[in-house]
Amino acid sequence: MTHSTTEVLTGGLVLAVAAGFAFYAAQAAGLSRGGDSYPLLASFRSLEGVSVGTDVRLAGVKIGTVTNVALNAETFRADTTFSVDNSIMIPDDSAIVIASEGLLGGNFVEVMPGGSPFNFEAGDEITDTQGAVSLISLLVKFVSGGGDES
């Protein structure tokens, strides 16, 4: 029976650590933030490297996440929905681009703010978009001599 107390304490410690890890994972994934964000829409020619859960950043700071990605069968573009923190108001002349963290890093969605005094409302669509640039295709163009010969 002397091992019983030790086993119960060890089990309780393991459960506490597991609960702490689950709480941390939920915060890191943005699941703990219930309704304090608003959705925006964008349509991209290429969404390479971006999926649901990808960061949306402004000036390098995470302000939201990609919540839905779907192929539009009529336009053959990637329709994307993302959430933005309610405390961040994005001017309605802003652009949105797919940016890369580096040669070996992943991609993220970057908001390039405009200067309009008016802001996007929940459910609005950002029309000024720039899709992902494939590093492989750029490398092939560089190696082959550029492509355009005038």
Side-chain angles (χ1 to χ4, degrees):
M1 284 294 186
T2 60
H3 296 291
S4 178
T5 304
T6 306
E7 290 173 356
V8 169
L9 289 176
T10 304
L13 180 64
V14 168
L15 288 176
V17 169
F21 177 73
F23 179 74
Y24 172 75
Q27 277 192 332
L31 299 177
S32 62
R33 292 194 245 162
D36 63 347
S37 63
Y38 62 97
L40 291 176
L41 310 170
S43 182
F44 294 94
R45 181 190 54 78
S46 173
L47 204 59
E48 184 178 339
V50 173
S51 61
V52 172
T54 300
D55 288 355
V56 176
R57 300 179 189 173
L58 177 72
V61 178
K62 180 179 176 181
I63 62 167
T65 58
V66 174
T67 57
N68 188 29
V69 174
L71 179 66
N72 186 327
E74 294 176 11
T75 62
F76 302 109
R77 293 174 65 89
D79 290 343
T80 308
T81 305
F82 55 96
S83 64
V84 175
D85 192 310
N86 272 341
S87 64
I88 308 296
M89 302 309 299
I90 299 175
D92 65 359
D93 62 344
S94 299
I96 190 164
V97 301
I98 306 301
S100 177
E101 293 178 343
L103 288 176
L104 300 176
N107 288 351
F108 62 94
V109 178
E110 183 175 10
V111 176
M112 308 293 282
S116 173
F118 305 106
N119 298 316
F120 283 115
E121 300 291 329
D124 285 351
E125 181 174 2
I126 299 177
T127 56
D128 188 1
T129 63
Q130 179 180 341
V133 177
S134 171
L135 292 177
I136 300 296
S137 66
L138 288 176
L139 185 61
V140 168
K141 283 184 181 179
F142 176 74
V143 169
S144 66
D148 256 43
E149 295 182 20
S150 298

